[in-house]
Amino acid sequence: MGQKGEETRGRLLDATRDLIETGGYFGTGLNQVVAASGAPRGSLYFHFPGGKDQLVAESVRRAGREIGEVLHALAETAPDAAGLVTGVIRLLGDRLEESGWRKGCPVATVALETAATSDPLHRACSDVYGSWEEALRLRLAADGHPEPDDTAATVLALVEGALLLARAHRSRDPLDRVTRRIAALL
Amino acid sequence: MGQKGEETRGRLLDATRDLIETGGYFGTGLNQVVAASGAPRGSLYFHFPGGKDQLVAESVRRAGREIGEVLHALAETAPDAAGLVTGVIRLLGDRLEESGWRKGCPVATVALETAATSDPLHRACSDVYGSWEEALRLRLAADGHPEPDDTAATVLALVEGALLLARAHRSRDPLDRVTRRIAALL
DNA sequence: TCCTGTTTATAGATCGGTCTACATATTTCC
DNA sequence: GGAAATATGTAGACCGATCTATAAACAGGA
């Protein structure tokens, strides 16, 4: 495989991740991916023989892993569950605003577009959300929360919904409002 | 304008609405719209000279109005805010499951895809979400809720997030979990 | 020379959008 | 009242651009 090969592969995944976050699965063309990554067209199909689906699925999983790591790090350092959640929202809000309302949740758009059509992509998105929810659940359970399962799902839904609304309105307002009311759930 | 013309126009909007709900803006081709509606290609550009953007924007607003009417009807009949929210979730959940996880929120996918790129589409999505939030806020205020503004935004985010997760997992589970925890916010 | 790992070039389909021709109402004018 | 003129839609072929995917050519080391 070689070092150069791995690097090209990584550049393709990073470029894909950036582009799908803004435009989703159908809104991102492989021409854009090739142009943004600097890799030649054929390399894409060498590294991802499964084509666009494989490329996007791996990008989704990679993005999910990255955010998952941030989540775990915050879960270690935050004083309580409320601090964890508000910390995540602030971090994601900063990223969203700095990117000009382009970068919200890297999974959401693809998840909605492919929910009913593509099995491998649907599975990738489902797995990522599952892992995030599990991270939340663990911290809630460790804190002795009475309903860790339902609350983890609810908090994840709340954060995803707030990110969606923030992008739709191009404003941090929904994130701020949700932050102010989150304590009622925890 | 004529009766026939209005009917063709409506068929185009309905077909578009169905298709974008499943595949989003970029995932829906005008060929599909033309095929599904039965209208010829020329009629599309006669009724929607603004092209795809105008067609989709009007479809989003129409879908938003329809759900808004359901929301207002439920706000009149539900005994309290909790009943209103759980009623909405049950209704949307039924629709989602019956459609094979295709029909969640008719606005969400387009909102995410076009948040940073298309102004008219972004505005249409933003307006629809704003109208739904306002309907919630009015009912919360009428019930004497202490924080109607923040809570309306939070509840809307929660429902949208739960619909997103339900589609991602192809399961009602997130909707059920959120329903069980919603009382803590109201 | 041959194989492995890349890269270029291109194929074939589909995209959104425009064009002209045609059918059907509706209005105008004698 | 009835024909001519105008407005309102319908219909589908067609355009260049772009899409994903493949096939053929290329480089460098054993």
Side-chain angles (χ1 to χ4, degrees):
Chain A
M1 189 63 68
Q3 191 174 343
K4 174 114 177 272
E6 273 305 325
E7 198 219 311
T8 302
R9 211 185 125 91
R11 280 216 317 276
L12 281 166
L13 284 173
D14 286 341
T16 303
R17 183 219 143 107
D18 265 23
L19 288 164
I20 59 172
E21 198 157 1
T22 303
Y25 178 86
F26 295 113
T28 300
L30 295 186
N31 289 332
Q32 291 174 272
V33 172
V34 162
S37 70
R41 172 154 230 93
S43 299
L44 197 160
Y45 284 93
F46 175 77
H47 292 292
F48 304 93
K52 191 181 185 180
D53 275 28
Q54 184 190 352
L55 175 69
V56 173
E58 287 197 29
S59 291
V60 165
R61 290 186 189 276
R62 167 184 273 228
R65 212 158 37 234
E66 275 175 30
I67 294 194
E69 283 163 14
V70 173
L71 209 57
H72 278 101
L74 267 171
E76 301 265 327
T77 59
D80 52 15
L84 164 57
V85 177
T86 56
V88 167
I89 292 180
R90 195 180 57 245
L91 229 62
L92 292 174
D94 289 345
R95 208 175 71 103
L96 179 60
E97 188 164 8
E98 283 165 13
S99 69
W101 317 108
R102 294 196 310 109
K103 299 188 180 180
C105 171
V107 184
T109 314
V110 176
L112 287 177
E113 287 176 304
T114 65
T117 48
S118 165
D119 262 12
L121 280 168
H122 151 252
R123 200 140 31 213
C125 297
S126 178
D127 288 349
V128 168
Y129 280 134
S131 74
W132 292 350
E133 189 178 321
E134 175 67 5
L136 282 171
R137 194 188 66 78
L138 283 177
R139 175 65 205 242
L140 286 168
D143 285 11
H145 195 283
E147 301 280 357
D149 287 33
D150 290 352
T151 305
T154 303
V155 167
L156 181 58
L158 200 49
V159 172
E160 288 293 325
L163 278 174
L164 162 60
L165 293 179
R167 288 195 76 194
H169 290 307
R170 291 184 189 165
S171 158
R172 284 188 87 124
D173 204 54
L175 294 168
D176 294 337
R177 291 189 183 280
V178 163
T179 303
R180 283 198 290 272
R181 297 293 287 124
I182 197 89
L185 282 169
L186 304 170
Chain B
M1 190 62 67
Q3 192 174 343
K4 179 104 175 279
E6 273 306 325
E7 199 220 310
T8 303
R9 212 185 125 89
R11 279 217 318 276
L12 281 165
L13 284 174
D14 287 340
T16 303
R17 184 218 142 105
D18 265 24
L19 288 164
I20 59 172
E21 199 157 358
T22 302
Y25 178 86
F26 294 113
T28 300
L30 295 186
N31 289 331
Q32 292 174 272
V33 172
V34 162
S37 70
R41 203 172 184 71
S43 299
L44 197 161
Y45 282 92
F46 176 79
H47 292 290
F48 304 93
K52 190 181 187 180
D53 275 27
Q54 185 189 352
L55 175 68
V56 173
E58 286 197 30
S59 291
V60 165
R61 288 186 191 278
R62 167 186 273 229
R65 212 157 37 234
E66 275 175 30
I67 294 194
E69 282 164 14
V70 173
L71 209 57
H72 278 101
L74 267 172
E76 301 264 327
T77 59
D80 52 15
L84 164 57
V85 177
T86 56
V88 167
I89 292 180
R90 195 181 56 247
L91 230 62
L92 292 173
D94 289 344
R95 207 175 73 102
L96 179 60
E97 188 164 8
E98 282 164 14
S99 69
W101 317 110
R102 293 195 312 108
K103 299 188 180 179
C105 172
V107 185
T109 314
V110 177
L112 287 177
E113 287 175 304
T114 65
T117 49
S118 164
D119 263 13
L121 280 168
H122 152 253
R123 200 140 30 213
C125 296
S126 177
D127 288 349
V128 168
Y129 281 135
S131 73
W132 292 350
E133 189 178 321
E134 175 67 5
L136 282 171
R137 196 187 65 78
L138 283 175
R139 175 66 206 242
L140 287 168
D143 285 10
H145 196 283
E147 300 279 356
D149 288 33
D150 289 352
T151 305
T154 303
V155 166
L156 182 58
L158 199 48
V159 172
E160 288 293 325
L163 277 174
L164 162 60
L165 293 179
R167 288 196 76 196
H169 291 306
R170 290 185 190 164
S171 157
R172 284 188 88 124
D173 203 54
L175 293 168
D176 294 338
R177 291 190 182 279
V178 163
T179 303
R180 283 199 291 272
R181 296 293 287 126
I182 197 89
L185 282 168
L186 303 170

